Amino acid sequence: MKTIINELLHHRNRSRMLSFALIIGSYLIIEFLMHSIRISRLFTSMLVPCCCYIILALSLNLVVGFSGELSLGHAGFMAVGAFTAIIVSGLSAKMIPDPVIRLFISVLSGSILSGLTGLLISVPVLKLSGDYLAIVTLAFGQIIKSLITNIYLGFDSNGLQLSFVTNELNLEQGKMLLSGPMGATDTAKISNFSSGALLIVITLFVIYSLIDSKYGRAIMAARDDRIAAESIGIDILRSKTLAFVASSILAGAAGALYALNYSTLQPAKFDFNTSILALVYVVFGGLGNINGTIIATTVLYVLPELLRSLQDYRMLIYAIVLIIVMQLGSSVRLKRSMEKLKNRFSKKGVIR
Amino acid sequence: MNTPVLQIKNLGIDFGGLTAVNNLNMEVHAHEIIGLIGPNGAGKTTVFNMLTKVYDPSRGTILLNGQDIAKMDTVAVNKAGIARTFQNIRLFQNLSVIDNVKAGMNNQFVYSIADMLFHTRKRRSNEEMIEEEALKLLKIFHLDDLKDTEAGSLPYGAQRKLEIARALASEPKLLLLDEPAAGMNPQETEELMETIRFVRDTFDICILLIEHDMNLVMNICERIYVLNYGMLLAKGSPEEIRNNEKVIKAYLGD
Ligand SMILES: Nc1ncnc2c1ncn2[C@@H]1O[C@H](COP(=O)(O)OP(=O)(O)OP(=O)(O)O)[C@@H](O)[C@H]1O
Ligand SMILES: [Mg+2]
């Protein structure tokens, strides 16, 4: 019993528990508020996308923070997950009327396809040492967006129909799934806040399971020192691939959840800006810092939306906040006092 | 006599026009502690880099327990039984002390990705064994009290010891130590000599070490190879090396 308590109070486990408490606590409070008082639509409409961005940022942190590689195209994986989910959900609407089961299957398909895509692009690239991954993921993000922008996909009683040119599909009472640059135009909205919160919890579970295991240690060892890692038998390519594929699976799930929250979705949503935004969340949250990523994403996502009423000043205020946070974050003196504070709370009873 | 654990034949490497090591022949037998010494730039570290395939040799063969390692890469060489430390300490700076050692056991305790994800019994029992082994190794180096400290913030001497512990975690047959006592004070060095002997005896391995601290070399090495300008200058017992004219000249300069 005593060992279990010690184990739970260990500072690493404490930060693990804090992540779950943060998500589950916020979820319960928000659910309670939504059922007891009237909350503005503005606020409730932000819940699912905020969950998606948290998952996206967490997945990106796996690559950037834990694996030490740069990805500039994570929105591309989100796109793969999103449009796979739209297609799967659209096609299976008749077969699987239950929205919960359909959501589950759509998100699962989206993340699997995204993971396969991640595997496909990472293996050849990670063989090279250097910042090639950043370049290739950047290109991947652009290509996947352009690809989806040019797909027209519909289905009717004759089955699935696909065209890459124009909207020349002759559907007999069928349904368009993808309409080129317009993207998906008539998706059933089956995502909700509960599924978003659950998906974050699953994401946290996956990430913590990974980083606390031998696989996670290998990933972080390969990040800190390639040659030393190899010298003790760690396969760099395998470790980095594992981190990248796990990350693309999670990013795909985020995209799937996101897509099924809107009736219309354009591929342009998942452009370079979204990839960079995710990177900004990760950098502000801290490389390799899970709780920081959750908080930074929430604040940086919600803030500009709330400031929307201030119209023209929105981006200005956003920029000022960014600068302030950046200044504080890199200030040595602040860091030191934070360290001291942290030591006071966490190092009690720990020797040295 | 049995096959040596390590046999180096006519080993050589060129960097562009510079021949860093040439025509080197060496042997390390089971249970030996061997010294590799020589003035700065003699090519000692380069020998280690060839043994661990950080560099591919230009000439010659390296046999590990009679097996040619020519086709192996760094990872394969480690799996075959060579582990090392680095002259410029290369720890996993952001990992805790114990995680550095645990990383060294990556191939010693195996469970699948599915085991990892579903927290199976296999994962738990392997992680428990990893923890236990890691603590055992840390105790040998008196680092167990610092197990949760970030490796990068350790004092210099402790970092050197942690590198040895990490190398041992991969269960090598041959351990290569590149200036293990560099930056240590005399008392730490004294302790280190004890530890090196202890490690050799408990794990029954052989050790090849590079060192400038002659007190350490003369005390714990059973045989010594002297390298100068990439060539073997002399070999023999500490006594023979100490009294070798050529060695004295190389060290004092002429
Ligand atoms: N990657 C490399 N490229 C070019 N030259 C190299 C390389 N590595 C080593 N050398 C050269 O090979 C020679 C031997 O270097 P090495 O590091 O093996 O010396 P050392 O005996 O370990 O010296 P020290 O006692 O200073 O550590 C030096 O002249 C060095 O400049
Ligand atoms: Mg050297």
Side-chain angles (χ1 to χ4, degrees), chain A residues 67-289:
Chain A
S67 176
E69 300 287 326
L70 190 55
S71 169
L72 295 176
H74 247 53
F77 294 109
M78 220 181 164
V80 173
F83 288 96
T84 306
I86 286 169
I87 294 168
V88 170
S89 170
L91 288 178
S92 63
K94 285 243 171 54
M95 256 182 324
I96 313 169
D98 187 318
V100 177
I101 300 176
R102 189 143 50 90
L103 176 67
F104 174 76
I105 292 174
S106 308
V107 171
L108 192 65
S109 330
S111 48
I112 289 173
L113 201 68
S114 177
L116 288 176
T117 317
L119 184 67
L120 213 66
I121 67 166
S122 65
V123 169
V125 177
L126 289 172
K127 271 192 183 145
L128 314 164
S129 56
D131 282 335
Y132 296 101
L133 193 69
I135 301 164
V136 172
T137 48
L138 175 65
F140 161 75
Q142 297 305 106
I143 291 169
I144 203 76
K145 195 191 75 186
S146 310
L147 186 70
I148 298 171
T149 305
N150 286 294
I151 291 180
Y152 295 84
L153 184 73
F155 77 107
D156 57 12
S157 47
N158 298 327
L160 215 53
Q161 294 190 29
L162 175 73
S163 159
F164 286 107
V165 200
T166 51
N167 193 357
E168 57 185 13
L169 303 180
N170 290 316
L171 298 178
E172 298 163 5
Q173 296 176 323
K175 187 168 174 268
M176 284 303 289
L177 288 172
L178 301 180
S179 322
M182 306 252 290
T185 47
D186 187 17
T187 314
K189 298 203 272 183
I190 52 177
S191 292
N192 53 37
F193 181 42
S194 301
S195 50
L198 181 65
L199 205 56
I200 298 179
V201 169
I202 294 174
T203 302
L204 287 172
F205 180 78
V206 169
I207 292 179
Y208 284 142
S209 299
L210 178 63
I211 60 179
D212 290 339
S213 74
K214 62 175 281 226
Y215 294 96
R217 288 191 293 270
I219 288 167
M220 291 183 276
R223 167 200 67 193
D224 278 7
D225 197 310
R226 239 183 135 94
I227 291 178
E230 283 181 322
S231 85
I232 48 170
I234 289 173
D235 187 328
I236 307 284
L237 176 64
R238 259 169 69 180
S239 296
K240 290 204 182 286
T241 305
L242 177 61
F244 194 77
V245 171
S247 171
S248 49
I249 289 173
L250 295 172
L257 189 77
Y258 188 92
L260 299 179
N261 188 48
Y262 298 100
S263 55
T264 61
L265 182 66
Q266 296 167 356
K269 177 73 210 165
F270 304 111
D271 60 1
F272 184 59
N273 287 335
T274 306
S275 296
I276 293 302
L277 202 61
L279 206 56
V280 169
Y281 296 157
V282 169
V283 171
F284 278 108
L287 297 181
N289 185 341

Side-chain angles (χ1 to χ4, degrees), chain A residues 10-12 205-206 208-210 212-215 217-218 220-236 238-239 242 350-352, chain B residues 54 74-75 78-79 82 84 86 90-95 99 102-104 106-107 109-113 116-117 119 123 127 130 145-146 148-149 166 170:
Chain A
H10 190 281
H11 59 90
R12 175 195 272 180
F205 180 78
V206 169
Y208 284 142
S209 299
L210 178 63
D212 290 339
S213 74
K214 62 175 281 226
Y215 294 96
R217 288 191 293 270
M220 291 183 276
R223 167 200 67 193
D224 278 7
D225 197 310
R226 239 183 135 94
I227 291 178
E230 283 181 322
S231 85
I232 48 170
I234 289 173
D235 187 328
I236 307 284
R238 259 169 69 180
S239 296
L242 177 61
V350 179
I351 306 145
R352 272 292 288 269
Chain B
V54 175
T74 306
V75 172
N78 175 260
K79 286 181 181 166
I82 301 182
R84 70 177 289 187
F86 297 87
R90 285 176 170 271
L91 285 171
F92 307 128
Q93 301 252 341
N94 301 298
L95 297 193
D99 279 353
K102 284 179 173 181
N106 204 53
N107 299 320
F109 297 90
V110 181
Y111 55 87
S112 71
I113 291 181
M116 177 270 282
L117 213 48
H119 292 254
R123 168 180 172 153
E127 283 293 338
I130 291 172
D145 283 350
L146 297 168
D148 294 320
T149 312
R166 180 183 66 187
S170 66

